[in-house]
Amino acid sequence: MGTVQTSLIFLPGALFLCLLLYILIKFLYKVWWTPIRVQQALRSQGIKGRSYRFLYGSTKEILNMRKESFSKPMNLTHHIFPRIHPHIHTWINAYGKNFMYWYGPRAHLVVTETELVKEIMNNRDKSYPKADTEGFRKKLLGDGLVTTEGEKWAKLRKLANHAFHAESLKNMTPAMISSAEMMLERWKQQEGKEIEVFEEFRLLTSEVISRTAFGSSYLEGQDIFDMFRKLSIIISRNAFKVRIPFLSWLLKSGDDIESEKLEQGIRDSIIRIIAKKEKSMNGEVGNFGVDFLGLLVKANHDADEGNHVTVQDVVDECKTFYIAGHETTTSLLAWTVLLLAIYTDWQEKARQEVLDLFGKEPPNSDGISRLKTMNMIINETLRLYPPVVSLLRKVKCETKLGNFNLPANINLVMPTLSIHHDIQIWGEDAQLFKPEKFSEGVAKATNNNPAVFLPFGLGPRSCVGLNFATNEAKIGLTMMLQRYAFTLSPAYIHSPIVILTVRPQHGIQSKNRDSAIILIEYFPFKKHLPDFALSSHPPKGRIFKNGDDVESDKLAKGIRDLILDIIQKREEKMTGKVDSYGSDFLGLLLKAHHDVPENYKITLEDIVDECKTFYGAGQGTTAVLLSWIVFLLALNTDWQDKVRQEVLKVLGKERPNSEGIARLKTMNMVVNETLRLYPPASNLTKKVQRKVKLGKLVLPANMNVYIPIMALHHDPKIWGNDAHLFNPERFSEGVNKATNNSPASYIPFSMGPRTCVGLNFAINEAKITLAMILQRYKFTLSPNHIHSPTQMLLVRPGRGVRITLHSLQHYVGMSFFYWNGPTAELVVTEPELIKEILYNRDKWYPKPEVETYFRKLVGDGLVASEGEKWAMLRKLSNHAFHGESLKVSAL
Ligand code: HEM
């Protein structure tokens, strides 16, 4: 009995101990034995990488690298790979194209060899299913199309293919257009101001997916989107944080509790939307509607097991499409607009294409498919800033990949971003925005290798929303380009980050400066043209004088007195000698007053009026011209860079000289185009002296003819559909070619005998000033600039032109070249590049030849020598000036 009693007491204890031991062994098997075994298996095949660290693997290192990387903004380059994936960037360089790291105890094999990527993504025998979705991510996506596998995936994919096929997309176009119209209506309040586009596009894409897939609206789904947003932030906050098994079940963190609440809230809201849909069917089974939700609800009601989906499936699928349907496209739209705000030449090209295809009409499906330039731009944006930065799969059971034998249950990471930025694939300019790469389509750009361009994935699990997303983006961009020109706000901070998708860091949480652009109303002249064309002339010879008459009489007298004063001072200086008047314009006038035969003499009053004319014409017009040039170059920074390059090539940093100024061809084009768009004198008026025949018209005497220069310069019949656009290229072969040999189409200085006498003076002055500005500064339009061309004698910027100057001396990140005689000199200010040059040990960057005079000074000593001689001299001087010697010399 005693023994039985004792056994009864000890048995549960022993069982408990056994259980504990079992759990411990299982735990150690998972977090110690398996990783060690996997590591050996991978290493033995030559796969290098991080060594496994108990429990946490590589996650602590990754977290630290990411923290450091995201802690500060970056220069405005598109080299975002090291920032977004600092761990992959560092380790690819250290271990090669395929390497391993550890997400907790699970091995991750990073695969960037594109042949292997293709093999994984196209695999049809299910060796590489999607990696397990766990934790917070699972709460966000549920078990929907993105995450699920097997038969359920096949069923859901069929449904989604049906909902988003080409014909359905055509029917969605009107809803996409109305959503974009809603956004642009909001923007009317923002014209001329800064606008944060990421948030704007988030609203747009939320509205589009709500309307097209769920027959609802953003407002109706607003709480769902808000909850998604909060959940996404929790996911990114916890990325690369390892959850310890068992412990995380027992102890729930704040994020666990919050995310459970959010998951439940999202579910309740979706169930409400489903219930509404069911109610709207009025008991008719076939009446669910053709949108995606309609198809899902219909499948839920389908008795056929092969088609039936559960309510939970419908909820998960709605979650999947709400989230996949708007996050990704928001990212695409925001980066495209940012790139177009920087590369305004591409913005203009895209706009021109849009105007050619649609004019000012809303886009249509047929035209959308013909937007070739926009397609190139979108592809290039997706290459540089792919919203989904990597693809993840797992190895289901031991399998062969290329020459590797992969053990089961490891994950495969295919870092899209690294592949898209690889210079071995895309060439030396891989980090640059060059949409022309895609001018002959994706196949040509990728050399027929689909695994090098993966924005939408590849193979059977590739994005089902590809056409939907690109259509939506094209419609949004088209409508935006039809209405607005836009530039990047000078306050923009470049800090891409990943929160599910790649996005501007501060774009969502706060109304910060990220992804900010300045909207500028396109067709600025539409508003002003009639005013100019119809500007009336005040009747002459008033009998009763009003306040302005009295004031202007006073001003005229004041001006006359000041000019007489100047004349008197000059005359006092005169010594009676003919050549003492001076050779300037005033000197010539005085000479014509004193020293010419009587009938050629001009009066003092003539001199006063002439001085008035030249003070006014000489100063006002050129100031206005310069203002418009600077405005247009601040807006079109690509042209600003081109002109600067020309200036530096021709003049270097020297003061401009006449010979150099005459060779500034690009600047000439810019000046001509500015004078076309903003002619300071907007019209000419002539009087009909006597009855005269003009063409087929007979004009009576004493009427006026009015020549609207502004209207001529903006006439699409003369200049084509891009008449309102800044396109200096049209003057690339001179004015005659640009005007098709019709000189009267372009008359900023008038023409004929009364053509402006100050033409060359004004243009020279503008060019010299501009050259000197460009030598010293880069400039962008200030967010406070308000575009308001006004006519006050001249067409001038009513509220000035507000720009921000960036000194070139301090312009980190800018590279440009100029010519030192026949040698090109590239100015490099980007610290990373500087490091690369100065640290280079392969002797790719030796010192240039020392110039003759300098050689006289330093000979072939340490400063000027290279190679072995340098090494020897350096050793000597290192020795002479090392720390200890310095101490001695200090004594
Ligand atoms: C620019 C926009 C988009 C990008 C860059 C994008 C990218 C991707 C990528 C890379 C995948 C493959 C993931 C993998 O292989 O693991 C994918 C899958 C998917 N996408 Fe998109 N997507 C975009 C827009 C959309 C839209 C608008 C929708 C919905 C209307 C959508 C729905 C889906 C779904 C449901 C899947 C999973 C397909 C499956 O597993 O069968 N996506 N997307």
Side-chain angles (χ1 to χ4, degrees), residues 121 130 145-146 153 157 164 209 320-321 324-325 328-329 332 382 387-388 391-393 454-457 460-465 468-469:
M121 299 299 286
K130 290 260 179 142
L145 185 56
V146 169
W153 170 75
R157 179 82 194 199
F164 294 97
I209 194 72
T320 299
F321 276 81
T328 44
T329 321
L332 167 61
L382 285 168
V388 179
L391 302 165
L392 205 59
R393 295 290 185 270
L454 301 159
F456 294 102
R461 300 298 295 255
S462 67
C463 178
V464 73
F468 178 92

Side-chain angles (χ1 to χ4, degrees), residues 383-397:
R383 186 183 70 78
L384 287 172
Y385 295 83
V388 179
V389 282
S390 54
L391 302 165
L392 205 59
R393 295 290 185 270
K394 81 174 178 193
V395 179
K396 196 171 166 193
C397 45

Side-chain angles (χ1 to χ4, degrees), residues 304-452:
D304 179 351
E305 198 46 41
N307 297 328
H308 177 77
V309 295
T310 65
V311 173
Q312 188 56 44
D313 290 340
V314 178
V315 171
D316 284 348
E317 202 55 355
C318 289
K319 275 161 80 167
T320 299
F321 276 81
Y322 262 125
I323 196 87
H326 89 287
E327 286 283 344
T328 44
T329 321
T330 303
S331 158
L332 167 61
L333 270 166
W335 292 119
T336 311
V337 165
L338 264 173
L339 288 165
L340 290 183
I342 300 171
Y343 302 98
T344 44
D345 50 338
W346 280 101
Q347 187 186 137
E348 289 308 336
K349 280 184 205 161
R351 180 174 295 108
Q352 205 163 321
E353 178 180 66
V354 161
L355 292 176
D356 285 347
L357 274 169
F358 306 113
K360 287 192 225 159
E361 298 303 313
N364 53 60
S365 309
D366 171 50
I368 291 168
S369 60
R370 283 163 43 215
L371 286 167
K372 192 180 159 217
T373 306
M374 194 182 283
N375 230 12
M376 287 154 59
I377 292 170
I378 287 180
N379 280 334
E380 183 66 343
T381 308
L382 285 168
R383 186 183 70 78
L384 287 172
Y385 295 83
V388 179
V389 282
S390 54
L391 302 165
L392 205 59
R393 295 290 185 270
K394 81 174 178 193
V395 179
K396 196 171 166 193
C397 45
E398 198 177 318
T399 191
K400 202 162 163 47
L401 173 70
N403 292 328
F404 300 129
N405 277 317
L406 302 183
N409 289 322
I410 67 169
N411 279 1
L412 302 173
V413 182
M414 285 143 293
T416 310
L417 189 61
S418 143
I419 296 172
H420 283 194
H421 285 242
D422 191 339
I423 52 174
Q424 281 170 16
I425 297 171
W426 295 96
E428 287 298 328
D429 57 358
Q431 325 295 349
L432 304 181
F433 177 71
K434 291 202 161 171
E436 60 267 32
K437 283 194 184 79
F438 290 94
S439 61
E440 291 175 53
V442 173
K444 187 78 196 281
T446 56
N447 232 333
N448 286 318
N449 182 356
V452 301

Side-chain angles (χ1 to χ4, degrees), residues 524-587:
F525 302 96
K526 192 180 63 187
K527 246 196 229 158
H528 300 281
L529 199 56
D531 299 349
F532 294 150
L534 298 175
S535 65
S536 60
H537 306 275
K540 281 182 185 163
R542 289 171 187 272
I543 299 171
F544 299 107
K545 293 197 169 177
N546 64 17
D548 281 350
D549 293 326
V550 176
E551 173 80 8
S552 60
D553 283 348
K554 259 199 225 155
L555 288 171
K557 183 166 180 314
I559 294 169
R560 184 176 182 278
D561 291 347
L562 284 173
I563 292 176
L564 282 175
D565 208 35
I566 292 172
I567 294 173
Q568 196 186 340
K569 280 193 182 133
R570 176 66 67 94
E571 287 197 316
E572 277 167 13
K573 275 198 203 158
M574 285 161 46
T575 55
K577 283 188 229 147
V578 178
D579 55 0
S580 65
Y581 299 109
S583 59
D584 61 9
F585 187 52
L586 182 58

